[in-house]
Amino acid sequence: MASSTINQDGGISTVYHDILHTHILTRLDGPTLASLSCVSSEFYSLSTHHQLWRNISDSTWPSIKHPLVAAVISSFPSAYRSFFSDSYPFLHHPRRSIDALDQTTQFQELISAVDVYYQNVPVFSEVEKIETESADFLRSPFRVDILPTEEFVPKWIQLPEGEQDLWSKKLEENLTLSWILIDPKEKRAVNMSSKRAVSVEKHWLTGEMLIKFATVLTGGETDGGLGREHVACEIVVTCRREEGGEVRVRDVSMTMEDIEGISVRGRDSLVILKEVMQSWERKILGDGEEGRRRYKEFLRRKGENYESQYSVANWMCNVIRLLNRNVLA
């Protein structure tokens, strides 16, 4: 007979442990299960069971069922529970102010686990290993492109009759994204996506819909000594519309850009991502408006910076014209 604990009030601790595991704990989501573990030492023991957290993680992110990701997660300090703790909350802000980022520690490789959902149903799941030590990656602008493979075939997004002409609005309202970056060496992970899309645009040439998710990060100082107050990690989901009205995810890409509109190099992106994994707080966001607000503020300051640079450049051109005019005179 399974063990049980009986208190004077005959509360929930009188329920047999196997019933708790089979019929109650398996119905809880990750945040609820984590809260339950804080109630008592007994509930901590019950709610930290490996299989519970594996089931929750696999159901939340279908991409992590991939053997490569599953093997890495099993090496985390508390396996799937540690992975969920790193990956479920969205990035909030740094725990401390950052004057200059640590240039000495970087990644040997990164693994991307990407899941796109429509109305909370997965429609695109992919895994990509990023080699981060090559000279081409380190010198080139940071960019990761995720294309569908035979292992994870994208599903159609079915739009009801009468709503097919509103597909941009439907995608903005119902499409969500998770992009988890995993560091196999340090056993850390982070979800780089915003909870909701920050913008939706139609490509002027192809007619495809570009749904953008973005997280604003602290840029710190690059290895060239240049300061970057903030950078935006931008993720674009490209959706195409087929005959009959069905919509399918064609690809997903991630880039980084600073407030001057300059693409962040691979070397500098690794430094930023290392700091994000180690020092940033995570937060369970509400409706995603906070992420949109931060990105809009980033774009506003980016625009002001561009106008300032344009004014300076225009002034310098006028000075050069005057000097040339005086010389010719």
Side-chain angles (χ1 to χ4, degrees), residues 101-108 183 185-186 267-275 278:
L101 303 184
D102 184 3
Q103 300 286 332
T104 61
T105 57
Q106 294 183 348
F107 304 95
Q108 292 181 347
D183 178 4
K185 181 181 178 182
E186 299 296 330
R267 182 187 304 278
D268 297 330
S269 71
L270 297 182
V271 177
I272 294 169
L273 291 173
K274 177 70 74 172
E275 185 69 25
Q278 293 179 348

Side-chain angles (χ1 to χ4, degrees), residues 2-48:
S3 62
S4 63
T5 301
I6 302 176
N7 60 27
Q8 293 179 351
D9 297 328
I12 195 170
S13 58
T14 63
V15 181
Y16 288 112
H17 287 185
D18 57 350
I19 296 177
L20 280 170
H21 267 297
T22 306
H23 299 289
I24 297 178
L25 299 184
T26 54
R27 298 175 182 269
L28 303 180
D29 59 17
T32 305
L33 193 61
S35 298
L36 184 65
S37 68
C38 301
V39 172
S40 67
S41 58
E42 182 180 11
F43 275 118
Y44 177 84
S45 177
L46 290 169
S47 59
T48 55

Side-chain angles (χ1 to χ4, degrees), residues 20 34-35 37 55 67 110 213 225 233 280 288 301:
L20 280 170
S35 298
S37 68
N55 292 342
L110 284 171
F213 300 78
C233 177
W280 276 62
R301 297 181 65 181

